[in-house]
Amino acid sequence: MSYSELNNMKSIFSFLILLSSAVSSPAQIRKSENRPNIIVILTDDQGYADVGFNGSKDIPTPGIDRIASNGTVFTSGYVSFAVCGPSRAGLITGRYQDRFGFARNPLLAPKDSTMGLPLTEETMADLLKKAGYKTGAIGKWHLGAHPSLIPNRRGFDEFYGFLSGGHQYFPEKLDLNDLSEAKSQFDGYRTKLLKNQERVTEQEYLTDAFSREALNFVKANRDQPFFLYLAYNAPHAPMQATEKYLNRFPNIKDSKRKTYAAMVSAVDDGVGDLLDLLQELQIEENTLVFFLSDNGGPTKDNASDNKPLRGFKGDFFEGGIRVPFALQWKGHVPAGLRYDAPVISLDIFATAASLAQVEPKNKLDGVNLLPYLSGQKKGVPHEELYWRNYNADRYAIVSHENKLIIQPKQEFLFDLKKDLSESKNLFSEESEQAKRLSKKIEEWKKQLMDPIFLGLLEDETYNRLNPDRYTPVQKDN
Ligand code: CA
């Protein structure tokens, strides 16, 4: 038995003791029958190494680390794609996004009803609303800017944030009244924020504003089951931070890394305040909190750190798809556990569906993780996990410790247990294993759709095909 297995056994054992003592308390029984609140905290482009619980030395994250010490860290926690949009489409539906053609980062095209998450898909907010949850989305959306695709039409009672793929952080830079004033893809970064469907003038640094709104949402909904999707755009570029946070890092000399650290630190304050509030309202044992990043760090853009992983945002090497990932549910999920078997962002939806006791509309790819953490279920949550990058004709599969990446003229086979940094390509010497995994990919591919919209890389083509992309819709239409 390895050290981590031993630790797992210990944590499961203490969890069982905790469980048996909880059973004797009537108050606890009543609480566990209630459907727990669910909070998903998503960061944007944060590197694997850039949280304390994964060993960060130069960027302390005491707030985020509380989730790890109160709960479980997934050391092999994946997302379903290596850039923002498709990764979010997977997370919010619990399904591989290529099943419904969400294969690219959507363009900002507010007049295009096909540019985003198709209406055939059920979001986690749709699902939880069926179970009587109050639902809120805060921060970055990136799943469609057409009026039929905005958060308020996709199951969220409340929305505070922006629709595009990124945003300026300083309120004075939000100088467009709305998307009708946008003339280019990146003008989407400059719009005033939306409170539901109304534009508002924000006064605070964006990350602080989202934290403030998250606290308000929880306070307002403390007495009923709620689902909060808190999608910070930090620490995605543009690199912008306030003095309050920059001053915490006098020892970081590289200015980009310093700003990145400040941006992460701002998120960390928000997470810490949110956990404090759960404690204060005494709903900590009735609230499941997930924390993860939407993809690996793009080191050149934001000075993030994916070590010891190979590769970056956009890659199917681990640095693109393995992210900081943890969850807490006090009294229900083992505390201080490091869980090593591969899990994926798609599991969040399935876990929520199971806890809310509601049947999803579509077939899910994720699984409920909790029985694996308690030891109630043996084995691993996933025999295989898959990735496709349609534009690059690149595929990947992780099956236990084995990983295969195939792309035109290049194949890689790695043993992740022995070689987490993917430095030794075993493709030639272990051809049987490679063949087995390649066959699995071929089977999985048959279930996927071609992309249903052009993406960020096809911005110019899209403009050519849609010359009226930014022309405002007439109000009386
Ligand atoms: Ca991202």
Side-chain angles (χ1 to χ4, degrees), residues 43-46 82-85 87-88 105 140 142 165 233 236 293-296 298 313:
T43 56
D44 198 346
D45 289 9
Q46 186 171 7
V83 303
C84 314
S87 168
R88 281 152 205 267
N105 245 341
K140 166 164 157 174
H142 211 192
N233 56 316
H236 189 293
S293 174
D294 71 334
N295 49 250
K313 174 181 181 178

Side-chain angles (χ1 to χ4, degrees), residues 4-18:
S4 69
E5 279 166 341
L6 186 68
N7 262 342
N8 284 4
M9 290 294 291
K10 274 187 196 162
S11 305
I12 289 164
F13 188 60
S14 27
F15 174 63
L16 289 175
I17 290 174
L18 195 72

Side-chain angles (χ1 to χ4, degrees), residues 260-309:
Y260 173 84
M263 291 165 80
V264 170
S265 200
V267 170
D268 191 68
D269 274 24
V271 174
D273 290 348
L274 188 57
L275 297 179
D276 282 345
L277 180 64
L278 298 180
Q279 243 172 0
E280 197 186 303
L281 299 176
Q282 297 183 315
I283 54 173
E284 207 179 17
E285 292 184 7
N286 198 28
T287 306
L288 179 64
V289 184
F290 287 94
F291 174 89
L292 73 164
S293 174
D294 71 334
N295 49 250
T299 300
K300 274 187 197 156
D301 295 337
N302 69 355
S304 49
D305 182 355
N306 301 315
K307 280 198 283 293
L309 310 179

